[in-house]
Coordinates of all heavy atoms in Angstrom, one line a residue:
M1 N -13.4 17.2 -52.5 CA -13.6 18.5 -53.1 C -12.6 18.7 -54.2 O -11.4 18.6 -53.9 CB -13.5 19.6 -52.0 CG -14.2 20.9 -52.3 SD -14.3 22.0 -50.9 CE -12.7 22.8 -51.1
A2 N -13.0 19.1 -55.3 CA -12.1 19.3 -56.4 C -11.3 20.6 -56.2 O -11.8 21.6 -55.8 CB -12.9 19.4 -57.7
K3 N -10.0 20.5 -56.5 CA -9.2 21.7 -56.4 C -9.4 22.6 -57.6 O -9.4 22.1 -58.7 CB -7.7 21.2 -56.3 CG -6.8 22.2 -55.6 CD -5.4 21.7 -55.6 CE -4.4 22.8 -55.3 NZ -3.1 22.4 -55.5
K4 N -9.6 23.8 -57.3 CA -9.9 24.7 -58.4 C -8.6 25.0 -59.3 O -7.6 25.3 -58.7 CB -10.4 26.1 -57.8 CG -11.3 26.8 -58.8 CD -11.8 28.0 -58.2 CE -12.5 28.9 -59.2 NZ -12.9 30.2 -58.7
F5 N -8.7 24.7 -60.5 CA -7.6 24.8 -61.4 C -7.5 26.3 -61.8 O -8.4 26.9 -62.4 CB -7.8 24.0 -62.6 CG -6.7 24.1 -63.6 CD1 -5.4 23.7 -63.3 CD2 -6.9 24.6 -64.9 CE1 -4.4 23.8 -64.2 CE2 -5.9 24.7 -65.8 CZ -4.6 24.3 -65.5
Q6 N -6.3 26.9 -61.5 CA -6.1 28.3 -61.9 C -5.2 28.4 -63.1 O -4.0 28.0 -63.0 CB -5.5 29.0 -60.7 CG -6.6 29.4 -59.7 CD -6.3 30.8 -59.1 OE1 -5.2 31.1 -58.8 NE2 -7.4 31.5 -58.8
R7 N -5.7 28.8 -64.1 CA -5.0 29.0 -65.3 C -4.4 30.4 -65.4 O -5.2 31.4 -65.5 CB -5.9 28.7 -66.5 CG -5.1 28.4 -67.8 CD -6.2 28.2 -68.9 NE -5.7 28.8 -70.1 CZ -5.3 28.0 -71.1 NH1 -5.3 26.7 -71.0 NH2 -4.8 28.6 -72.2
K8 N -3.1 30.5 -65.5 CA -2.6 31.9 -65.5 C -2.3 32.3 -67.0 O -2.3 33.5 -67.3 CB -1.2 31.9 -64.8 CG -1.5 32.1 -63.3 CD -0.2 32.2 -62.5 CE -0.4 32.3 -61.0 NZ 0.8 32.0 -60.3
I9 N -2.0 31.3 -67.8 CA -1.7 31.7 -69.2 C -3.0 31.7 -70.0 O -3.8 30.8 -70.0 CB -0.7 30.6 -69.8 CG1 0.6 30.7 -69.0 CG2 -0.5 30.9 -71.2 CD1 1.5 29.5 -69.3
E10 N -3.2 32.9 -70.5 CA -4.5 33.1 -71.3 C -4.3 33.3 -72.7 O -3.4 34.1 -73.1 CB -5.2 34.3 -70.7 CG -5.8 34.1 -69.3 CD -6.4 35.4 -68.8 OE1 -7.6 35.7 -69.1 OE2 -5.7 36.1 -68.2
D11 N -5.0 32.7 -73.5 CA -5.1 33.0 -75.0 C -6.1 34.0 -75.2 O -7.1 34.1 -74.5 CB -5.4 31.7 -75.8 CG -4.4 30.6 -75.7 OD1 -3.3 30.9 -75.1 OD2 -4.7 29.5 -76.1
F12 N -5.9 34.9 -76.1 CA -6.9 35.9 -76.4 C -6.8 36.3 -77.8 O -5.9 36.1 -78.6 CB -6.7 37.2 -75.5 CG -5.3 37.9 -75.6 CD1 -5.2 39.0 -76.5 CD2 -4.2 37.5 -75.0 CE1 -4.0 39.6 -76.6 CE2 -3.0 38.1 -75.1 CZ -2.9 39.2 -75.9
V13 N -7.9 37.0 -78.3 CA -8.0 37.5 -79.6 C -7.7 39.0 -79.6 O -8.4 39.7 -78.8 CB -9.3 37.2 -80.3 CG1 -9.4 37.8 -81.7 CG2 -9.5 35.7 -80.4
C14 N -6.8 39.5 -80.3 CA -6.4 40.9 -80.3 C -7.6 41.7 -80.9 O -8.1 41.4 -82.0 CB -5.2 41.2 -81.1 SG -4.8 42.9 -81.3
E15 N -8.1 42.7 -80.1 CA -9.2 43.5 -80.5 C -8.8 44.6 -81.5 O -9.7 45.2 -82.1 CB -9.9 44.1 -79.3 CG -10.7 43.0 -78.6 CD -11.4 43.6 -77.4 OE1 -11.9 44.7 -77.5 OE2 -11.6 42.8 -76.4
N16 N -7.5 44.7 -81.7 CA -7.1 45.7 -82.7 C -6.9 45.1 -84.1 O -7.4 45.6 -85.1 CB -5.8 46.4 -82.2 CG -5.3 47.5 -83.2 OD1 -6.1 48.4 -83.6 ND2 -4.1 47.3 -83.7
C17 N -6.2 44.0 -84.1 CA -5.9 43.5 -85.5 C -6.5 42.1 -85.7 O -6.4 41.5 -86.8 CB -4.4 43.4 -85.7 SG -3.5 42.1 -84.7
G18 N -7.2 41.6 -84.6 CA -7.9 40.3 -84.8 C -7.0 39.0 -84.8 O -7.5 37.9 -85.0
A19 N -5.7 39.2 -84.5 CA -4.9 38.0 -84.4 C -5.2 37.2 -83.2 O -5.5 37.7 -82.1 CB -3.4 38.5 -84.4
K20 N -5.0 35.9 -83.3 CA -5.1 35.0 -82.2 C -3.8 35.0 -81.5 O -2.8 34.6 -82.1 CB -5.5 33.6 -82.6 CG -7.0 33.5 -82.8 CD -7.4 32.0 -82.9 CE -8.9 31.9 -83.2 NZ -9.3 30.6 -83.7
V21 N -3.8 35.4 -80.2 CA -2.5 35.4 -79.5 C -2.5 34.3 -78.5 O -3.4 34.1 -77.7 CB -2.4 36.8 -78.8 CG1 -1.1 36.9 -78.0 CG2 -2.5 37.9 -79.8
R22 N -1.4 33.6 -78.5 CA -1.3 32.5 -77.5 C -0.5 33.1 -76.3 O 0.6 33.5 -76.4 CB -0.5 31.4 -78.1 CG -1.3 30.3 -78.8 CD -0.6 29.1 -79.2 NE -0.2 28.3 -78.1 CZ 0.4 27.1 -78.3 NH1 0.9 26.8 -79.4 NH2 0.7 26.3 -77.2
G23 N -1.2 33.0 -75.2 CA -0.6 33.6 -74.0 C 0.6 32.7 -73.6 O 0.7 31.5 -73.8
N24 N 1.7 33.4 -73.1 CA 2.9 32.7 -72.7 C 3.2 33.0 -71.3 O 4.2 32.7 -70.8 CB 4.1 33.0 -73.6 CG 4.4 34.5 -73.7 OD1 3.9 35.2 -72.9 ND2 5.2 34.8 -74.7
G25 N 2.3 33.7 -70.6 CA 2.4 33.9 -69.2 C 3.2 35.2 -68.8 O 3.1 35.7 -67.7
Y26 N 3.9 35.8 -69.8 CA 4.6 37.0 -69.4 C 4.3 38.2 -70.4 O 4.9 39.2 -70.3 CB 6.1 36.8 -69.3 CG 6.9 36.3 -70.5 CD1 7.4 37.2 -71.4 CD2 7.0 35.0 -70.7 CE1 8.1 36.8 -72.5 CE2 7.7 34.5 -71.8 CZ 8.2 35.4 -72.7 OH 8.9 35.0 -73.8
T27 N 3.5 38.0 -71.3 CA 3.1 39.2 -72.1 C 1.5 39.2 -72.2 O 0.9 38.2 -72.1 CB 3.7 39.1 -73.5 OG1 3.3 40.4 -74.2 CG2 3.1 38.0 -74.4
N28 N 1.0 40.4 -72.2 CA -0.4 40.5 -72.3 C -0.8 41.4 -73.5 O -1.9 41.8 -73.7 CB -1.0 41.1 -71.1 CG -0.4 42.4 -70.7 OD1 0.4 43.0 -71.4 ND2 -0.8 42.9 -69.5
H29 N 0.2 41.7 -74.3 CA -0.1 42.5 -75.5 C 0.0 41.7 -76.8 O 0.6 40.6 -76.8 CB 0.8 43.8 -75.6 CG 2.3 43.5 -75.6 ND1 3.0 43.5 -74.5 CD2 3.1 43.2 -76.6 CE1 4.3 43.3 -74.8 NE2 4.3 43.0 -76.1
C30 N -0.5 42.2 -77.8 CA -0.5 41.5 -79.1 C 0.9 41.6 -79.7 O 1.4 42.7 -79.9 CB -1.6 42.1 -80.0 SG -1.5 41.4 -81.7
P31 N 1.6 40.5 -80.1 CA 2.9 40.6 -80.6 C 2.9 41.1 -82.1 O 4.0 41.5 -82.6 CB 3.4 39.1 -80.6 CG 2.2 38.3 -80.5 CD 1.1 39.1 -79.9
H32 N 1.8 41.2 -82.7 CA 1.7 41.6 -84.1 C 1.5 43.1 -84.2 O 2.2 43.7 -85.1 CB 0.5 40.9 -84.8 CG 0.6 39.4 -84.7 ND1 1.5 38.7 -85.4 CD2 -0.1 38.5 -83.9 CE1 1.4 37.4 -85.1 NE2 0.4 37.3 -84.2
C33 N 0.7 43.7 -83.4 CA 0.4 45.2 -83.5 C 0.8 45.9 -82.2 O 0.8 47.1 -82.2 CB -1.0 45.4 -83.9 SG -2.2 44.9 -82.6
L34 N 1.2 45.2 -81.2 CA 1.6 45.7 -79.9 C 0.5 46.4 -79.1 O 0.8 47.1 -78.1 CB 2.9 46.6 -80.1 CG 4.0 46.1 -80.9 CD1 5.1 47.1 -81.0 CD2 4.6 44.8 -80.3
W35 N -0.7 46.3 -79.5 CA -1.8 46.8 -78.7 C -2.1 45.8 -77.6 O -1.9 44.6 -77.7 CB -3.0 47.0 -79.6 CG -3.0 48.2 -80.5 CD1 -2.0 48.4 -81.5 CD2 -3.9 49.3 -80.6 NE1 -2.3 49.6 -82.2 CE2 -3.4 50.1 -81.6 CE3 -5.0 49.6 -79.9 CZ2 -4.1 51.3 -82.0 CZ3 -5.7 50.8 -80.2 CH2 -5.2 51.6 -81.3
S36 N -2.8 46.3 -76.6 CA -3.3 45.4 -75.6 C -4.6 46.0 -75.0 O -5.1 47.0 -75.5 CB -2.3 45.1 -74.5 OG -2.1 46.2 -73.7
K37 N -5.1 45.4 -74.0 CA -6.3 45.9 -73.4 C -6.1 46.3 -72.0 O -5.3 45.7 -71.2 CB -7.3 44.7 -73.4 CG -8.7 45.1 -73.7 CD -9.6 43.9 -73.8 CE -11.1 44.4 -73.6 NZ -12.0 43.2 -73.6
H38 N -6.8 47.4 -71.6 CA -6.6 47.9 -70.2 C -7.4 47.1 -69.2 O -8.5 47.4 -68.9 CB -7.1 49.4 -70.2 CG -6.7 50.1 -69.0 ND1 -7.2 51.3 -68.7 CD2 -5.9 49.7 -68.0 CE1 -6.7 51.7 -67.5 NE2 -5.9 50.8 -67.0
V39 N -6.8 46.0 -68.8 CA -7.4 45.2 -67.8 C -6.6 45.1 -66.5 O -7.1 44.6 -65.5 CB -7.7 43.8 -68.3 CG1 -8.9 43.8 -69.3 CG2 -6.5 43.2 -69.0
D40 N -5.3 45.5 -66.5 CA -4.5 45.4 -65.3 C -4.1 46.7 -64.7 O -3.9 47.7 -65.4 CB -3.1 44.7 -65.7 CG -3.3 43.3 -66.3 OD1 -4.3 42.7 -66.0 OD2 -2.4 42.9 -67.0
I41 N -4.1 46.8 -63.4 CA -3.5 48.0 -62.8 C -2.0 47.6 -62.6 O -1.2 48.4 -63.1 CB -4.2 48.3 -61.5 CG1 -5.7 48.8 -61.8 CG2 -3.5 49.4 -60.7 CD1 -6.5 49.0 -60.6
N42 N -1.8 46.6 -61.9 CA -0.4 46.0 -61.9 C -0.5 44.8 -62.8 O -1.5 44.1 -62.9 CB 0.0 45.6 -60.5 CG 0.1 46.8 -59.6 OD1 0.8 47.7 -59.9 ND2 -0.7 46.8 -58.5
P43 N 0.6 44.6 -63.6 CA 0.6 43.5 -64.6 C 0.1 42.2 -64.0 O 0.5 41.7 -63.0 CB 2.1 43.3 -65.0 CG 2.6 44.7 -64.7 CD 1.9 45.2 -63.5
G44 N -1.0 41.6 -64.7 CA -1.5 40.3 -64.3 C -2.6 40.4 -63.2 O -3.3 39.4 -63.0
D45 N -2.9 41.5 -62.6 CA -3.9 41.5 -61.6 C -5.3 41.6 -62.1 O -6.3 41.3 -61.3 CB -3.6 42.5 -60.5 CG -3.7 44.0 -61.0 OD1 -4.2 44.2 -62.1 OD2 -3.4 44.9 -60.2
R46 N -5.5 42.0 -63.3 CA -6.8 42.1 -63.9 C -7.8 43.0 -63.1 O -9.0 42.7 -63.0 CB -7.4 40.7 -64.1 CG -6.6 39.8 -65.0 CD -6.7 40.2 -66.5 NE -6.0 39.3 -67.3 CZ -4.7 39.3 -67.7 NH1 -3.9 40.2 -67.2 NH2 -4.2 38.4 -68.5
A47 N -7.2 44.0 -62.4 CA -8.0 44.7 -61.5 C -8.7 45.9 -62.1 O -9.7 46.5 -61.5 CB -7.1 45.2 -60.3
A48 N -8.2 46.4 -63.3 CA -8.9 47.5 -63.9 C -10.1 47.1 -64.6 O -10.2 46.0 -65.2 CB -7.9 48.2 -64.9
V49 N -11.1 47.9 -64.5 CA -12.4 47.6 -65.1 C -12.6 48.3 -66.4 O -13.6 48.2 -67.1 CB -13.6 47.8 -64.2 CG1 -13.6 46.8 -63.1 CG2 -13.6 49.2 -63.6
C50 N -11.7 49.2 -66.8 CA -11.8 50.0 -68.0 C -12.1 49.2 -69.2 O -13.1 49.5 -69.9 CB -10.5 50.8 -68.1 SG -10.4 51.7 -69.6
G51 N -11.2 48.3 -69.6 CA -11.4 47.5 -70.8 C -11.1 48.2 -72.1 O -11.4 47.7 -73.1
G52 N -10.6 49.4 -72.0 CA -10.3 50.1 -73.2 C -9.0 49.5 -73.9 O -8.3 48.8 -73.3
L53 N -8.8 49.9 -75.2 CA -7.7 49.4 -75.9 C -6.5 50.2 -75.6 O -6.6 51.5 -75.6 CB -8.0 49.3 -77.4 CG -8.9 48.2 -77.9 CD1 -9.2 48.3 -79.3 CD2 -8.2 46.8 -77.6
M54 N -5.3 49.6 -75.4 CA -4.1 50.3 -75.1 C -3.3 50.4 -76.4 O -2.8 49.4 -76.9 CB -3.3 49.6 -74.0 CG -4.0 49.3 -72.7 SD -4.2 50.7 -71.6 CE -2.6 51.1 -71.2
K55 N -3.1 51.6 -76.8 CA -2.3 51.9 -78.1 C -0.9 52.1 -77.8 O -0.5 52.8 -76.9 CB -2.9 53.1 -78.7 CG -2.3 53.4 -80.0 CD -2.8 54.8 -80.6 CE -2.2 55.1 -81.9 NZ -2.6 56.3 -82.5
P56 N 0.0 51.4 -78.6 CA 1.5 51.7 -78.4 C 1.8 53.1 -78.9 O 1.5 53.4 -80.0 CB 2.1 50.6 -79.2 CG 1.1 50.2 -80.2 CD -0.2 50.5 -79.6
V57 N 2.4 53.9 -78.0 CA 2.6 55.3 -78.4 C 4.1 55.6 -78.4 O 4.6 56.5 -79.1 CB 1.9 56.3 -77.5 CG1 0.4 56.3 -77.8 CG2 2.2 56.0 -76.0
D58 N 4.9 54.8 -77.7 CA 6.3 55.1 -77.6 C 7.1 53.9 -77.2 O 6.6 52.9 -76.7 CB 6.5 56.3 -76.6 CG 7.7 57.1 -76.9 OD1 8.5 56.7 -77.9 OD2 7.9 58.1 -76.3
I59 N 8.4 54.0 -77.4 CA 9.3 52.9 -77.0 C 10.4 53.5 -76.2 O 10.9 54.6 -76.5 CB 10.0 52.2 -78.2 CG1 8.9 51.4 -78.9 CG2 11.2 51.4 -77.8 CD1 8.7 50.0 -78.3
E60 N 10.8 52.9 -75.1 CA 11.9 53.4 -74.3 C 12.9 52.2 -74.2 O 12.5 51.1 -74.2 CB 11.3 53.5 -72.8 CG 11.6 54.9 -72.2 CD 10.9 55.0 -70.9 OE1 11.1 54.1 -70.0 OE2 10.2 56.0 -70.7
Q61 N 14.2 52.6 -74.2 CA 15.2 51.6 -74.0 C 15.8 51.6 -72.7 O 16.2 52.7 -72.2 CB 16.2 51.8 -75.1 CG 16.4 50.6 -76.0 CD 17.5 50.8 -77.0 OE1 17.7 51.8 -77.6 NE2 18.3 49.7 -77.1
K62 N 15.8 50.5 -72.0 CA 16.4 50.5 -70.7 C 17.1 49.2 -70.5 O 16.6 48.1 -70.7 CB 15.2 50.6 -69.6 CG 15.7 51.1 -68.3 CD 14.5 51.0 -67.3 CE 15.1 51.3 -65.9 NZ 14.1 51.0 -64.9
D63 N 18.4 49.3 -70.1 CA 19.2 48.1 -69.9 C 19.2 47.2 -71.1 O 19.1 46.0 -70.9 CB 18.8 47.4 -68.6 CG 18.9 48.3 -67.4 OD1 19.8 49.2 -67.3 OD2 18.1 48.1 -66.4
G64 N 19.2 47.8 -72.3 CA 19.2 46.9 -73.5 C 17.9 46.3 -73.8 O 17.8 45.5 -74.7
Q65 N 16.9 46.6 -73.0 CA 15.6 46.1 -73.3 C 14.6 47.2 -73.8 O 14.7 48.3 -73.3 CB 15.0 45.4 -72.1 CG 14.1 44.2 -72.5 CD 13.3 43.6 -71.3 OE1 13.4 44.1 -70.2 NE2 12.6 42.6 -71.7
Y66 N 13.7 46.8 -74.7 CA 12.7 47.8 -75.1 C 11.5 47.7 -74.2 O 11.0 46.7 -73.9 CB 12.3 47.4 -76.6 CG 13.4 47.7 -77.6 CD1 14.0 46.7 -78.2 CD2 13.7 49.0 -77.8 CE1 15.0 47.0 -79.2 CE2 14.7 49.3 -78.8 CZ 15.4 48.3 -79.4 OH 16.3 48.5 -80.3
I67 N 11.1 48.9 -73.8 CA 9.9 49.0 -73.0 C 8.8 49.7 -73.8 O 9.1 50.8 -74.4 CB 10.2 49.9 -71.7 CG1 11.4 49.4 -71.0 CG2 8.9 49.9 -70.8 CD1 11.3 48.1 -70.2
L68 N 7.7 49.1 -73.9 CA 6.6 49.6 -74.7 C 5.8 50.6 -73.9 O 5.4 50.2 -72.7 CB 5.8 48.4 -75.2 CG 4.7 48.6 -76.2 CD1 5.3 49.1 -77.5 CD2 4.1 47.2 -76.4
I69 N 5.5 51.7 -74.4 CA 4.6 52.6 -73.6 C 3.3 52.7 -74.3 O 3.2 53.0 -75.5 CB 5.3 54.0 -73.5 CG1 6.6 53.9 -72.8 CG2 4.3 55.0 -72.8 CD1 7.4 55.1 -72.7
Q70 N 2.3 52.4 -73.6 CA 0.9 52.3 -74.2 C 0.0 53.2 -73.5 O 0.0 53.4 -72.3 CB 0.4 50.9 -74.0 CG 1.2 49.8 -74.7 CD 0.7 48.4 -74.3 OE1 0.5 48.1 -73.2 NE2 0.4 47.6 -75.3
R71 N -0.9 53.8 -74.3 CA -1.9 54.7 -73.7 C -3.3 54.2 -74.0 O -3.7 53.8 -75.1 CB -1.8 56.1 -74.3 CG -2.8 57.1 -73.7 CD -2.8 58.5 -74.2 NE -1.6 59.2 -73.7 CZ -0.7 59.8 -74.5 NH1 -0.8 59.7 -75.7 NH2 0.3 60.4 -73.9
C72 N -4.1 54.1 -73.0 CA -5.5 53.7 -73.1 C -6.3 54.7 -73.9 O -6.3 55.8 -73.6 CB -6.1 53.4 -71.7 SG -7.8 52.9 -71.8
Q73 N -7.0 54.1 -74.9 CA -7.8 55.0 -75.8 C -9.1 55.5 -75.1 O -9.8 56.4 -75.6 CB -8.2 54.2 -77.0 CG -7.0 53.8 -77.8 CD -6.2 54.9 -78.4 OE1 -6.6 55.6 -79.3 NE2 -5.1 55.2 -77.7
K74 N -9.4 54.9 -74.0 CA -10.7 55.2 -73.3 C -10.5 56.1 -72.1 O -11.2 57.1 -71.9 CB -11.3 53.9 -72.8 CG -12.8 53.9 -72.7 CD -13.3 52.4 -72.6 CE -14.5 52.4 -71.8 NZ -14.9 50.9 -71.5
C75 N -9.4 55.9 -71.3 CA -9.3 56.7 -70.1 C -7.9 57.4 -70.1 O -7.6 58.1 -69.1 CB -9.4 55.8 -68.9 SG -8.1 54.7 -68.6
D76 N -7.1 57.3 -71.1 CA -5.8 58.0 -71.2 C -4.8 57.5 -70.2 O -3.8 58.1 -70.0 CB -6.0 59.5 -71.1 CG -6.2 60.1 -72.4 OD1 -6.0 59.5 -73.4 OD2 -6.7 61.3 -72.4
H77 N -5.0 56.4 -69.5 CA -4.0 55.8 -68.6 C -2.8 55.4 -69.4 O -2.9 54.8 -70.5 CB -4.7 54.6 -67.9 CG -3.7 53.9 -67.0 ND1 -3.3 54.3 -65.8 CD2 -3.0 52.7 -67.2 CE1 -2.4 53.5 -65.3 NE2 -2.2 52.5 -66.1
V78 N -1.6 55.7 -69.0 CA -0.4 55.4 -69.6 C 0.3 54.3 -68.8 O 0.4 54.4 -67.6 CB 0.5 56.6 -69.9 CG1 1.9 56.2 -70.4 CG2 -0.2 57.6 -70.8
R79 N 0.8 53.3 -69.5 CA 1.5 52.3 -68.7 C 2.7 51.8 -69.5 O 2.7 51.9 -70.8 CB 0.7 51.1 -68.3 CG 0.3 50.2 -69.4 CD -0.2 48.9 -68.9 NE -0.7 48.1 -70.0 CZ -1.6 47.2 -69.9 NH1 -2.2 47.0 -68.8 NH2 -2.0 46.5 -71.0
K80 N 3.7 51.2 -68.8 CA 4.8 50.7 -69.5 C 4.7 49.2 -69.5 O 4.2 48.6 -68.5 CB 6.1 51.1 -68.8 CG 6.4 52.6 -68.9 CD 7.6 53.0 -68.2 CE 7.8 54.5 -68.4 NZ 9.0 55.0 -67.7
N81 N 5.2 48.6 -70.6 CA 5.0 47.2 -70.8 C 6.3 46.6 -71.4 O 6.8 47.2 -72.4 CB 3.9 47.0 -71.8 CG 3.0 45.8 -71.5 OD1 3.5 44.8 -71.0 ND2 1.7 45.9 -71.7
K82 N 6.9 45.6 -70.8 CA 8.1 45.1 -71.4 C 7.8 44.4 -72.7 O 6.7 43.7 -72.8 CB 8.7 44.0 -70.5 CG 9.7 44.7 -69.4 CD 10.3 43.6 -68.6 CE 11.0 44.2 -67.4 NZ 11.3 43.2 -66.4
T83 N 8.6 44.5 -73.7 CA 8.4 43.8 -74.9 C 8.8 42.4 -74.7 O 9.6 42.1 -73.8 CB 9.2 44.4 -76.1 OG1 10.6 44.4 -75.7 CG2 8.7 45.8 -76.4
S84 N 8.3 41.5 -75.5 CA 8.7 40.1 -75.4 C 9.4 39.6 -76.7 O 9.2 40.3 -77.7 CB 7.5 39.2 -75.1 OG 7.0 38.6 -76.3
P85 N 10.2 38.6 -76.6 CA 10.9 38.1 -77.8 C 10.0 37.7 -78.9 O 10.4 37.7 -80.1 CB 11.7 36.9 -77.3 CG 11.7 37.0 -75.8 CD 10.5 37.8 -75.4
A86 N 8.7 37.5 -78.6 CA 7.8 37.1 -79.7 C 7.2 38.3 -80.4 O 6.6 38.2 -81.4 CB 6.6 36.4 -79.0
D87 N 7.5 39.5 -79.9 CA 7.0 40.7 -80.6 C 7.5 41.0 -81.9 O 8.7 40.7 -82.2 CB 7.2 42.0 -79.7 CG 6.4 41.9 -78.4 OD1 5.5 41.1 -78.3 OD2 6.7 42.7 -77.5
D88 N 6.7 41.6 -82.8 CA 7.2 42.0 -84.1 C 8.2 43.1 -84.1 O 7.9 44.2 -83.7 CB 5.9 42.4 -84.9 CG 6.2 42.6 -86.4 OD1 7.4 42.8 -86.7 OD2 5.3 42.5 -87.2
V89 N 9.4 42.7 -84.4 CA 10.5 43.7 -84.3 C 10.3 44.9 -85.2 O 10.7 46.0 -84.9 CB 11.9 43.0 -84.6 CG1 13.0 44.0 -84.5 CG2 12.1 41.9 -83.6
K90 N 9.7 44.6 -86.3 CA 9.4 45.7 -87.3 C 8.6 46.8 -86.7 O 8.8 48.0 -86.9 CB 8.8 45.2 -88.6 CG 9.8 44.8 -89.6 CD 9.1 44.3 -90.9 CE 8.7 42.9 -90.8 NZ 7.9 42.4 -91.9
K91 N 7.6 46.4 -85.9 CA 6.7 47.3 -85.3 C 7.4 48.1 -84.2 O 7.2 49.3 -84.0 CB 5.5 46.6 -84.6 CG 4.5 46.0 -85.6 CD 3.6 47.0 -86.1 CE 2.6 46.4 -87.1 NZ 1.9 47.4 -87.9
I92 N 8.3 47.4 -83.5 CA 9.1 48.1 -82.5 C 10.0 49.2 -83.1 O 10.0 50.3 -82.6 CB 9.9 47.1 -81.6 CG1 8.9 46.2 -80.8 CG2 10.9 47.8 -80.7 CD1 9.6 45.0 -80.1
I93 N 10.6 48.8 -84.2 CA 11.5 49.8 -84.9 C 10.7 51.0 -85.4 O 11.1 52.1 -85.3 CB 12.3 49.1 -86.0 CG1 13.3 48.1 -85.4 CG2 13.0 50.1 -86.9 CD1 13.9 47.1 -86.3
E94 N 9.5 50.6 -86.0 CA 8.6 51.7 -86.5 C 8.3 52.7 -85.4 O 8.3 53.9 -85.6 CB 7.3 51.1 -86.9 CG 7.2 50.9 -88.4 CD 5.9 50.1 -88.8 OE1 4.8 50.5 -88.2 OE2 5.9 49.2 -89.6
L95 N 8.0 52.2 -84.2 CA 7.7 53.1 -83.1 C 8.9 53.9 -82.7 O 8.8 55.1 -82.4 CB 7.2 52.3 -81.9 CG 5.8 52.0 -81.8 CD1 5.5 51.0 -80.6 CD2 4.9 53.2 -81.5
C96 N 10.1 53.3 -82.7 CA 11.3 54.1 -82.4 C 11.5 55.2 -83.4 O 12.0 56.3 -83.0 CB 12.5 53.1 -82.5 SG 12.6 51.9 -81.2
Q97 N 11.2 54.9 -84.6 CA 11.5 55.9 -85.7 C 10.5 57.1 -85.7 O 10.7 58.1 -86.3 CB 11.5 55.2 -87.1 CG 12.8 54.4 -87.2 CD 12.7 53.5 -88.5 OE1 11.7 53.3 -89.0 NE2 13.9 53.0 -88.9
K98 N 9.4 56.9 -85.0 CA 8.4 57.9 -85.0 C 8.8 59.1 -84.1 O 8.2 60.2 -84.2 CB 7.1 57.4 -84.4 CG 6.1 56.9 -85.4 CD 4.8 56.5 -84.7 CE 4.0 55.5 -85.6 NZ 2.9 54.9 -84.8
K99 N 9.8 58.9 -83.3 CA 10.2 59.9 -82.3 C 10.8 61.1 -83.1 O 11.6 61.0 -84.0 CB 11.3 59.4 -81.4 CG 10.7 58.5 -80.4 CD 11.8 58.1 -79.3 CE 11.2 57.1 -78.4 NZ 12.2 56.8 -77.3
Ligands
LIG101 ZN1 -3.0 42.9 -82.7
LIG102 ZN1 -8.3 52.6 -69.6

């Protein structure tokens, strides 16, 4: 019996800007525009069925790390998402300056 191969790292195409994003296992948002898709209730569980686009609305700083706050355009669910080193710093700064 073949062992089922479980792939955790997923590549995806950003539905906001169309960029091809290479999954690295710890981010699920687009590093170019910081949008993502509402598919997780808890990060990685893919339990939400909403599928709406999550728009970056704010940035929080905690312990020297930037936390991205995203709101779903479909159901208004708000969630926090850690930024990753691959993210576009300019976009993060833009969001900080919007405050
Ligand atoms: Zn994008
Ligand atoms: Zn949603």
Side-chain angles (χ1 to χ4, degrees):
M1 203 172 86
K3 204 177 163 194
K4 207 175 169 189
F5 179 63
Q6 278 214 325
R7 194 184 147 104
K8 278 185 185 161
I9 298 170
E10 289 174 88
D11 295 349
F12 62 95
V13 174
C14 173
E15 288 183 27
N16 179 56
C17 73
K20 274 191 185 168
V21 180
R22 271 186 77 180
N24 56 16
Y26 62 90
T27 186
N28 56 5
H29 58 264
C30 172
H32 306 287
C33 65
L34 309 180
W35 286 58
S36 68
K37 215 175 162 188
H38 190 191
V39 285
D40 299 336
I41 291 173
N42 294 304
D45 66 6
R46 302 289 187 268
V49 289
C50 170
L53 285 172
M54 304 286 295
K55 181 186 182 180
V57 288
D58 209 351
I59 288 279
E60 232 174 50
Q61 238 185 317
K62 204 184 168 192
D63 302 328
Q65 211 191 0
Y66 289 110
I67 312 285
L68 189 61
I69 302 177
Q70 298 173 307
R71 181 182 286 125
C72 179
Q73 300 296 284
K74 207 165 147 188
C75 71
D76 272 343
H77 174 77
V78 173
R79 75 165 174 206
K80 292 179 182 179
N81 218 323
K82 275 183 192 163
T83 56
S84 96
D87 291 345
D88 189 336
V89 178
K90 271 185 276 174
K91 290 278 177 196
I92 292 173
I93 293 168
E94 263 173 43
L95 271 174
C96 290
Q97 287 171 341
K98 266 188 205 165
K99 285 189 186 182

